[in-house]
Every structure is written in structure tokens, then in C-alpha cells.
Amino acid sequence: MPTFADFDRRNYPTVGVADGYDGWAPTYDRTVMDEMDLALLDRVRVRWSGRAVDLGCGTGRTGGWLRARGVTHIDGIDLSAGMLDRARERGAHTTLTLGDVRATGLPGGAYDLVISSLIDEHLPELEPFYREARRLAAPGATFVLVAYHPQFMMVTGMPTHYTPESGAPLAISTHLHMFGEHVTAGVAAGWRLTEVAEAVVDDAWLARKPKWAELRGHPFTMALVWTLD
């Protein structure tokens, strides 16, 4: 399978996930647009209810979105202490844990909703992640995953990155996962794929990012909805 290194056009210095997001945490919410993830959650046909776990909860953007839709119990976990500090300030989560989304230590079979947004590109392999999501899920649970579209990563050659106060961009360790890899890992873990939604670069997007005009119509992110039989 292709790797992100095959397409990387930026060749920024690269840092690890925890260090990268610790450095990005102060400015993250100002640089990530709702069109990338929250707008996709608005489109999928999911009943937002029950007990939720937010894998890779970051600054709490997804948790805040869920809370606004009536989800009252949301446990969050993230590898970055800096991002968790921001999530605590937001106050959307019931609990927050510093840890690995592939081995959370959270109780198994406890969640009606498992959700994850824009983190899978930092995982070298998807299988452990999907297995942990399955372990956490209660009977009949739903797993919603928002990810960068592999085509976008291949066409742009752009890693997940941020610009620290030094002014020199830093990439955060980035991996490319084809759609088929998601399907294979999800099915192997016991999930059934029930919906896929894709966001494309459109006029609303270009109003914010006009320099991306040549990417009009290209897919940018995708949401995968998985359920348990």
C-alpha cells in the first residue's frame, strides 16, 4: 500500500503526536474549520444520544458539538496534555483521560456512541484502533469516524501540520490510510459500515481558503458510520 511519504510535498520537520498537539493546542481552535469535521457530523443520519466516548478528543470541539445536541455523558481521551487542558476549559466532557486511543483503559461495552475526529492519520495501523472502538461499544452501538480523505492527502501531499511561534511549520507524524484499509479494519473488528459522507472543496470552503481554487470539487474529509449487528 502507498505511504504518505510517497506523496509528501512539504517535507516539513516532523514531530511526534503528543509533542505536536501540545505545541498546537493554543491556536488549534483558530486554525481548524467546522467544514472539516462538524459539518459532516451534521449530515450523517445518527441518533446522537446515550453514553459517548470521544477518542482523540483534542480541545473538546466534538464534545461541545455533542453536548449541544443533548448528549449528557461524554468521556474523552487524548494523547496530548495540552489539548486536554483546552478541553477542560471548554467543559463539555464528563471525564478526560490522558492516554492512547488504541488502548484506552476505559470500561468495555460501556458506550452507545463511539466517535473520533481527524486523528486516524496519526496511527501507523488502523486495526488496533477499530478493535478498541469495538471493545468500548455496547450492544447496538454506533461508531462515527471523521477522517481526511486519502485522495486529498495524495493530491496535495500535505501532512497534518501547524505553525508554532517560531514561524516555521512543523508536521505531526502523518500516515495515509486508503478507504479499503478502513473497511478491512472495521469489518475485521466486527463493525458494519452503514453510511459514508464526503466533504468536497466548494464555494463556501474557497471563501475561507481562496488559494485552494484548483482543488474545487476534490474530496477533503469523510465520515464513516459503523454499527453493530
Side-chain angles (χ1 to χ4, degrees):
M1 299 296 290
T3 67
F4 179 73
D6 297 328
F7 302 95
D8 188 359
R9 296 183 183 178
R10 303 296 182 94
N11 297 306
Y12 295 146
T14 300
V15 297
V17 176
D19 289 342
Y21 280 98
D22 282 349
W24 196 0
T27 59
Y28 184 84
D29 285 339
R30 298 199 300 269
T31 54
V32 175
M33 303 190 307
D34 290 352
E35 289 85 353
M36 299 167 68
D37 52 355
L38 302 184
L40 271 176
L41 297 180
D42 279 324
R43 289 171 49 194
V44 295
R45 297 182 297 274
V46 170
R47 183 179 179 183
W48 305 107
S49 62
R51 187 182 178 101
V53 60
D54 185 0
L55 302 179
C57 63
T59 63
R61 292 174 67 255
T62 302
W65 187 92
L66 290 172
R67 182 74 64 172
R69 280 148 186 81
V71 181
T72 58
H73 186 107
I74 311 166
D75 293 330
I77 183 167
D78 202 277
L79 197 61
S80 163
M83 298 291 269
L84 288 175
D85 286 342
R86 300 288 168 165
R88 288 189 188 94
E89 294 172 2
R90 191 183 297 267
H93 292 85
T94 307
T95 68
L96 289 166
T97 300
L98 180 67
D100 192 321
V101 298
R102 296 164 294 186
T104 64
L106 296 171
Y111 298 98
D112 307 294
L113 174 63
V114 182
I115 193 164
S116 177
S117 185
L118 304 180
I119 69 161
D120 69 284
E121 79 272 18
H122 301 306
L123 303 175
E125 298 178 346
L126 293 176
E127 288 81 1
F129 178 53
Y130 275 95
R131 285 197 299 267
E132 179 66 357
R134 175 64 181 86
R135 186 189 71 81
L136 294 169
T142 299
F143 175 30
V144 182
L145 181 147
V146 178
Y148 287 107
H149 201 291
Q151 181 181 338
F152 175 82
M153 298 176 72
M154 296 164 79
V155 168
T156 65
M158 184 169 64
T160 297
H161 65 282
Y162 75 104
T163 303
E165 290 183 359
S166 66
L170 291 175
I172 301 174
S173 181
T174 299
H175 300 274
L176 173 68
H177 297 300
M178 304 296 284
F179 179 74
E181 293 179 69
H182 282 279
V183 174
T184 298
V187 170
W191 292 104
R192 179 168 60 91
L193 185 62
T194 56
E195 185 177 359
V196 178
E198 295 166 301
V200 300
V201 177
D202 57 14
D203 289 340
W205 184 274
L206 293 175
R208 300 278 301 275
K209 301 274 189 179
K211 66 180 180 180
W212 287 17
E214 65 181 17
L215 296 175
R216 184 190 300 273
H218 282 262
F220 183 75
T221 49
M222 61 184 184
L224 311 182
V225 180
W226 301 88
T227 58
L228 295 179
D229 292 325

